[in-house]
Structures are given as structure tokens and as C-alpha cells.
Amino acid sequence: MKRRDALKLGFGAAGATVAATQAGAVEIEQWPENAEEGLPQTGLVFPDTFQPSIVTDPSPYVEPFTAPLNIMPVAEPVDPATYDPPIEPARHQRFDDFPPQKHYQEVISEFRWKYHWQPPYGDGTPDVVGRGGDPDVGSWHWGFNGITPGETYHAHYGEPVFLRRINMLSPVGANNVQFALPSPTVHLHNAHTASESDGIPQDFFNPGEFWDHHYANFPAGSPDGWSAFNTEIMNTLWYHDHRLDFTATNVYAGLSGFYLLFDERDSGNERDRNRNAFRLPSGKYDVPLILHDVQFTSDGQARWDFFLPDGDQPNPEPRPEPVDVGNSQGTDDTFDSNRLQYTTQGMVGDMITVNRIITPYLDVDRRKYRFRFLNGGPSRLYRLRLRVVPGNGGDPYYDDWIILSNDGNLLEAPLVEPTFNLWVANRFDVIVDFSKYRDGDKIQVWNDLEIRDDGAGPTGYTLDDENMMPVMEFRAKGGRVRDFSRIPRRMRPLPDIDMSEVRRERLFVFDYDNGLWTVNGRLMDPNRVDAKIEQGSAEIWTFRNEGNAWAHPVHTHFEEFQILEVNGRKPTAVERARKDVVSLGPGDEVRFFSRWRDFLGKHVMHCHNVVHEDHAMMIRWDIVEPGQGD
């Protein structure tokens, strides 16, 4: 009998536990005592003949690789004296310990966005995309400071940041984007951030309101200072909407962007004279790329419909009575997810966008580039590969990636791989050295991972050459140019794992019950604390996928973790990293070690197929004072 099967038998009854084997751990618990038992399996299901709208009503076609890539500008600081009302330091943990050195402001609003220059997406002016061209043409969209994705933040360790976000969307029913909810909460994904600034799902703010975020920008476990060789420094982060019940729709509407952290070694300066600096490609040669797959109506409007049972776009519906969901400002939730209006499985589009442009191209110099790939969701999973089309008419061939990071955190050493798996919220920093290609060569990015039409997970099949999905194209131009960047032999060592710190183990089972997604047999309740974790302690968590046909990219907030086992084996070279997303495939079981330090408060763990998150595969966990844990 396999260990996994034995564990299944041991957990047959509610409340069953098994003794932990690691030093200092208390127990593994699957079903908390107050979990519901015997949830019926009679929920929302689709008939075998069901076909989603990407099959029955596909988006208008455009030729791939014919629109220029949108590259987001770097955010510029503002004068904090312009904040009205002024900052309230008492609302933020450790504000005086980390007084902000830079201040920013974002306005969330609605506008038109050209996903391509060709009609029906654009006004027909070659290469004019985004906010350019005719202001009355384009898909209605939400974004930050008038663009989507939002501005890219360049932040530095030791330089705390304060960011005010102002909601200038119209009230429910008055926006052109009808499927999303205009009360966002913005999460800085993977940041070591106090709860009140984390953008947790219940901390939304309504039209005309604002929310202040304090980002201390210090490595986890090192609030009193650190060296250049700190092992917990992060690099590629991103921010996105996280609104309770509406994360999928709000991110799909446009609310996402990059937040890049630099330090003495990954300094963002390829000419850095510091002998400790990695000198990775920098400036215009360091390009963030966020992938969103979208489907469109015949007139080029982004749509969220998967299927339309009543012929109308899904609209948020008011609750019979406002509900207290633990919002830090005391705001009740007046809207519930309209769950009968669209699939609970997933949402996939038939057009892959990069930085919100459909299958774009980028002219590149013949030298090294750093590309920061991010899967912004909502549900599609990718496996990306490089296909080289020689400009001289030779036969196309595939080339390798040089992988620097997993989940945006630099590995111990670069890896050379033919493909990499990019699940929702995963980030991979890679280097492509275009100096080895010739002027006129086209280096294309393709996706060869097939996903189910309902978006719940992969089919298990690889797309062949004729059926692969185009992502973007790099066009090598001109002669070789001077290149000051390097590919380091060694990068960041992993933090030591001390099992004596482990206070307890927990098991979280991800399943599908009664038409909705559950963790340990329960739906998300923002006022229920599912785990009380003592500040300064470590724990071992096991994630188990009980499904055999769906996948869950599971993200836990606040601190990173290190994988110990995947289905009983040691992690691969790519998995052996500091991570914040577990790629939990059908039937998978992943075990990892993590710590919780530096702040107190409430956070969440959830599936980052954000349709699953909204329906309602998420738990709340709190960091509490020592001695108050469960």
C-alpha cells in the first residue's frame, strides 16, 4: 500500500489525525472539528455536450506578431504633502521602524484600451495600441493611472514605500465594464507585508474611497538589518486585485501590474562596479511580461461570459442584507458573487495577450535580455518554449531558455531548460541571448500545454507544432551591440531549514464539493480563522489535490516556503527554490516548510485559478502572539 493511500484510510472520519514525525511538530489535521460532513455531490455540473463560448463564438481573428509590445512606464514618486487627507501612521504596523522614503499614488479608473491596432480591437492605424489613436475606439477596461497593466514599480530593499490607491470607478451598474465589481482591494503578491497593507480579500474600498499601503521593503526575518548575501531577498513581485468573490473578474478587467525589488546584488544596473553585483541585463533590457488570455465579442470588447444562460453579461447582485466580512475599515460587503451566471470551473480565452496586447512583437538588439514572465490568469496554464525562425529562410528550430528564478526569486544557479511551466501567478525570470541569432531572425514564444475548455486544469496532452498557441515574437535587428551584462555562475543560496523550529504540521485537502471548490471540506468564510500560527514559529504544510482532472496553483500570502517533497520525491532543480505558489496537479501532494515572522494579523491561502478562489477555495489564517496558536 502506498503512503498516500494509507493516509487516505487514516483520514476517513472527521477529526482524524496522525502523529507528526518531525521534531517539534504537534499533529497533522485534515478535517477540523467544525467542518461540515457529507457535503452532497449534486451541485452545478455541465452536460457532456456542453461547449464554452471560445468554441461556439470565438474572438475576431488577427494575425499574430503584428502589434507592438506595450512596455509599462516606471512609476514616479509624488510629494506626500499632496495626500489629502494626510497619512495616518497609527494605522500601519511598524510605520516608525520603517518610515517611507518614497511615496506614490494610483488612481483606479475606466478607459478604452486597444488590444491590437487592427479592427475591431483598434482604429486601423498600424502599430497604434493601448491608449493611443482614436479615444473612442477600444475595449472598455479598468486600470491604474490610465493604463493596463499598471505602472511598474522599481523598489529597493532598505527604502520603504508608501502607496495610496484611489478608487475613481463609477458605482455598480454605471461602468461600461459590467462583469466586475468596482470595489477593489489590491494585493502585492509575494510581499513581506503587514496585514492592513496586504490587500486581503475583505479589505476592499468603494468608489470615491482610497486605501493606503505601507511596504517596509525588508527581507523576511531581518527587520534589524541584513547583508548583501541575505538568503530571503525577493525580486519579481506583482500587484493585482483580490476582491472577495470577484478577484477573477476584477483582474480580468485590467487590475494588475509589476513591483520589482532590487538590492545590492540584483541591483538593476548591468554596469554596477560593486564586485558583489550580478550585473544582470538592466534598463530597457529588463522587460516585465504579464500574460492574460482573453476572449472578445465580435466588436472587440473583452467579455467575461464562458457561457451566458440568460443571454446577458453576468452582473454583480446585491445581498439581501449587508454582511460583515472583517474589513479593516469596518465596511460591510453589500455584493455577493453571482455564481449561477458563469462557470465555477475556470475561464479561458482564445487570445493570449502580453502586457494586454494580443500576441505582440518586440524588436530586440542582438545582446542579452532579462524577461520577467508572469501568468496573470485567470485560469490558463502555460508551458512556454522558444521557436527560432531564421531570417534567411532556413528551417525553424527550438532553442533553450536560461532560467534565473522561480516565483521571481533567484535560484542558486541559472538553469538551461527547453521549456518551463507557467501556472497562474507563477513568475519566471529568464535570459535570452540574442547575440547568437542573426539580423532578421524571429525568435517566437509558443505555448504547447493544452488545457481543458472549461479551464479547470490541463488535459494531459501536449499541443503539436500546428496547434501550439502563439504568445509573442522577438525580432533580432542589426549588428551585435556592446553588452555589459553577465550571466552569473552562482546566485542566491537557499535559507537553511531547521526542523527544530517546526511547531506543528497541517494538511490541506483541495476538492470539489456540491458545485464549489473547498479546502478541507469547507468554503471560504473571512470571519473564520482556519489556522492560528504563532509569530516566529515554523510549520510544515501538506497540500493534497483530491481531484483527478483539475489543477490548483495554490498561493499562500506573506512568507515564502521551500518544498520538501512532491508526491514523495525530492523537488527538481526548478522546484528547489523559494516559492509562494504550489503547482498542485491532478492527484498531487506537496509538502513544504515555511516560517511566519515580523508582523501580526490576518492573511489568506487560496487557489490562484482565481475562478476557484472566488467559488470559494480559500482559507483565512492569522499570525498571533506566541502562546495563542492552535
Side-chain angles (χ1 to χ4, degrees), residues 6 18 107 134 217 277 283 301 311 316 326 363 425 446-447 468:
V18 60
V107 174
D134 188 336
N217 290 342
Q301 294 297 310
D363 291 333
W446 291 79
N447 170 46
M468 286 194 302

Side-chain angles (χ1 to χ4, degrees), residues 63-376:
E63 185 179 355
F65 315 139
T66 57
L69 177 71
N70 165 48
I71 297 180
M72 296 75 71
V74 175
E76 294 291 338
V78 301
D79 182 351
T82 62
Y83 287 157
D84 183 21
I87 296 170
E88 296 184 54
R91 295 180 62 86
H92 303 277
Q93 294 182 61
R94 311 196 70 166
F95 187 93
D96 293 337
D97 293 339
F98 301 97
Q101 297 183 29
K102 288 186 176 179
H103 299 77
Y104 297 90
Q105 183 166 286
E106 286 179 347
V107 174
I108 300 173
S109 64
E110 183 177 73
F111 46 83
R112 285 188 181 268
W113 182 261
K114 296 175 181 63
Y115 275 92
H116 202 278
W117 63 269
Q118 295 175 346
Y121 305 102
D123 61 14
T125 307
D127 284 352
V128 173
V129 295
R131 293 297 301 275
D134 188 336
D136 296 324
V137 174
S139 180
W140 285 106
H141 226 273
W142 293 356
F144 302 94
N145 289 346
I147 60 172
T148 180
E151 295 163 319
T152 298
Y153 288 86
H154 281 193
H156 296 265
Y157 277 100
E159 201 172 74
V161 161
F162 193 89
L163 172 56
R164 172 166 292 179
R165 292 186 167 102
I166 302 171
N167 184 357
M168 294 301 291
L169 295 167
S170 298
V172 173
N175 295 284
N176 291 284
V177 174
Q178 289 288 304
F179 54 78
L181 193 69
S183 55
T185 173
V186 183
H187 169 53
L188 181 53
H189 183 112
N190 201 31
H192 191 61
T193 303
S195 173
E196 66 276 2
S197 295
D198 190 45
I200 55 177
Q202 56 268 51
D203 279 355
F204 53 85
F205 50 111
N206 294 309
E209 298 177 341
F210 67 90
W211 199 283
D212 286 344
H213 303 258
H214 174 233
Y215 301 137
N217 290 342
F218 68 87
S222 303
D224 300 321
W226 57 91
S227 75
F229 297 92
N230 185 281
T231 58
E232 304 208 42
I233 284 173
M234 301 181 288
N235 304 101
T236 303
L237 289 70
W238 66 300
Y239 59 97
H240 63 85
D241 180 88
H242 211 319
R243 211 285 185 190
L244 184 68
D245 293 340
F246 291 91
T247 296
T249 53
N250 285 11
V251 174
Y252 192 81
L255 300 183
S256 61
F258 279 93
Y259 185 100
L260 309 182
L261 268 169
F262 297 94
D263 69 290
E264 183 179 345
R265 307 204 72 196
D266 187 7
S267 64
N269 180 8
E270 63 188 46
R271 301 192 189 198
D272 198 327
R273 294 180 178 273
N274 178 354
R275 64 185 181 89
N276 292 325
F278 295 131
R279 289 176 52 185
L280 295 169
S282 64
K284 71 175 184 178
Y285 303 111
D286 179 358
V287 185
L289 303 169
I290 181 169
L291 278 59
H292 291 277
D293 58 314
V294 183
Q295 64 169 305
F296 297 89
T297 61
S298 60
D299 59 353
Q301 294 297 310
R303 67 180 182 185
W304 178 278
D305 72 344
F306 194 84
F307 73 110
L308 299 177
D310 57 8
D312 294 325
Q313 286 278 16
N315 295 298
E317 292 183 348
R319 299 179 187 271
E321 297 291 339
V323 175
D324 176 9
V325 291
N327 183 285
S328 295
Q329 292 183 349
T331 305
D332 287 343
D333 193 358
T334 57
F335 286 88
D336 198 1
S337 58
N338 196 357
R339 291 175 175 164
L340 298 181
Q341 290 261 344
Y342 53 84
T343 178
T344 62
Q345 305 275 37
M347 170 68 186
V348 291
D350 53 1
M351 290 291 184
I352 295 178
T353 75
V354 182
N355 294 352
R356 298 286 181 170
I357 304 298
I358 298 172
T359 53
Y361 71 85
L362 176 67
D363 291 333
V364 294
D365 294 333
R366 293 178 58 207
R367 53 149 289 162
K368 292 187 290 296
Y369 279 70
R370 177 182 187 173
F371 296 111
R372 304 179 189 243
F373 281 94
L374 157 65
N375 183 349

